[in-house]
């Protein structure tokens, strides 16, 4: 598992903002956050310059661009991500084993080219926006949704990826099946007393860590709080307190 020094290092905050200016404002409001997620919206709008900003501030980076393409294209994207020295990169497991293996090998090559530590590739098993009905009726997948997600997790593991993105509800089972070294990165976390919003199947941060999550992605409970820095600290304290 990736080295983690403290509870704070296990909480990833998404830069879910539309522009570089907004991203920098959020970075300035949350100086204690060590690990940031850059997703499609910000990357498309601000480009790789946002990664430079994060590197200058010595932050760890989760590049959440969810690559899904033919093996050659996945490899090219992951090689480029490897050159940046990002820490986590997402790909879609249903791209298949050949593409996942090519992506993994290329990420290592990219990192070696610039002398950066290699990124950990993690797979999205199934988007949480896909419900059982959509899976069966639109995507024509005959497996139960939880079985399908598990099969995709195993495919990621067989393809030598470092881990997966999963719901905290699935973390305990996946930890048992996939072992201690597999990274489980869990969004859908809501601290005690915070509105669940569109994350219907939320767990608290302490519950998610206890269930086996390696990292938590916590967005709006921190970024939309009256005081984001206090909210971040409270979440860290809640986890640390529950582990004593
Ligand atoms: O604000 P909130 O805590 O819901 O943000 C969660 C973050 O994790 C968002 O960036 C969202 O896109 C991402 N995410 C998610 N559910 C998934 C995968 C990613 O909420 N299944």
């Amino acid at each position: 598992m990736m080295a983690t020094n403290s509870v704070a290092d296990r909480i990833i905050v998404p830069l879910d903002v539309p522009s570089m200016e907004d991203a920098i404002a959020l970075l300035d409001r949350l100086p204690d956050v060590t690990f940031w997620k850059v997703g499609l919206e910000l990357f498309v709008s601000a480009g790789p310059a946002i990664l430079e900003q994060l590197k200058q501030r010595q932050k760890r980076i989760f590049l959440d661009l969810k690559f899904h393409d033919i093996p050659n294209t996945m490899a090219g994207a992951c090689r480029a991500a490897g050159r940046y020295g990002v820490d986590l990169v997402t790909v879609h497991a249903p791209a298949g084993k050949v593409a996942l293996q090519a992506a993994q090998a290329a990420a290592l090559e990219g990192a070696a080219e610039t002398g950066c530590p290699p990124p950990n590739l993690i797979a999205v098993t199934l988007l949480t926006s896909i419900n059982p009905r959509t899976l069966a009726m639109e995507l024509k997948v005959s497996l139960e949704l939880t079985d399908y997600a598990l099969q995709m997790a195993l495919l990621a593991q067989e393809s030598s990826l470092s881990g997966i993105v999963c719901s905290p509800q699935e973390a305990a089972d996946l930890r048992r099946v996939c072992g201690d070294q597999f990274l489980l990165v869990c969004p859908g976390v809501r601290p005690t007393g915070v509105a669940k919003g569109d994350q219907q199947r939320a767990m608290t941060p302490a519950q998610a860590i206890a269930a086996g999550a390696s990292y938590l992605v916590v967005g709006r409970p921190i970024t939309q709080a009256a005081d984001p820095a206090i909210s971040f600290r409270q979440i860290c304290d809640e986890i640390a307190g529950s582990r004593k």
Side-chain angles (χ1 to χ4, degrees):
M1 213 179 279
M2 214 184 281
T4 48
N5 302 324
S6 70
V7 168
D9 293 335
R10 296 177 68 174
I11 299 178
I12 303 172
V13 180
L15 277 166
D16 285 337
V17 290
S19 69
M20 176 71 99
E21 197 184 14
D22 292 328
I24 288 177
L26 194 52
L27 292 177
D28 288 343
R29 285 200 83 178
L30 284 163
D32 292 345
V33 173
T34 58
F35 210 153
W36 289 93
K37 178 166 95 76
V38 175
L40 282 168
E41 181 184 15
L42 182 60
F43 196 78
V44 171
S45 112
I50 183 59
L51 306 183
E52 298 297 341
Q53 285 288 337
L54 289 163
K55 286 263 142 196
Q56 275 170 25
R57 290 161 199 248
Q58 277 142 24
K59 303 299 183 186
R60 295 164 82 199
I61 303 171
F62 173 7
L63 188 61
D64 184 21
L65 302 182
K66 300 188 176 71
F67 298 136
H68 190 173
D69 214 310
I70 59 170
N72 192 51
T73 306
M74 297 257 296
C78 289
R79 188 174 294 108
R83 287 190 200 112
Y84 275 121
V86 298
D87 299 274
L88 292 174
V89 176
T90 38
V91 296
H92 276 284
K97 195 186 253 183
V98 173
L100 297 177
Q101 288 176 333
Q104 176 66 39
L108 298 182
E109 287 165 18
E113 284 170 25
T114 51
C116 295
N120 284 298
L121 259 53
I122 56 173
V124 176
T125 54
L126 182 69
L127 293 170
T128 38
S129 50
I130 305 291
N131 62 28
R133 189 182 153 77
T134 310
L135 188 69
M137 304 301 286
E138 294 180 18
L139 306 187
K140 310 292 183 194
V141 172
S142 53
L143 287 182
E144 294 286 334
L145 189 146
T146 47
D147 282 348
Y148 180 75
L150 175 61
Q151 292 305 320
M152 291 301 105
L154 293 173
L155 177 67
Q157 195 168 39
E158 284 163 25
S159 308
S160 304
L161 264 59
S162 301
I164 53 165
V165 179
C166 68
S167 152
Q169 309 284 342
E170 299 158 1
D173 281 345
L174 287 165
R175 177 60 66 219
R176 247 191 319 277
V177 175
C178 298
D180 285 346
Q181 299 303 309
F182 206 53
L183 294 178
L184 302 179
V185 178
C186 297
V189 177
R190 288 292 174 267
T192 320
V194 167
K196 289 193 175 170
D198 51 9
Q199 299 283 11
Q200 293 305 319
R201 300 192 308 137
M203 271 182 156
T204 68
Q207 285 170 334
I209 293 283
S214 315
Y215 292 96
L216 309 179
V217 180
V218 189
R220 287 161 291 178
I222 295 171
T223 57
Q224 310 287 304
D227 188 328
I230 289 179
S231 168
F232 176 69
R233 190 46 51 201
Q234 282 171 344
I235 292 172
C236 294
D237 291 347
E238 184 181 327
I239 297 170
S242 72
R243 296 163 93 203
K244 281 181 187 143

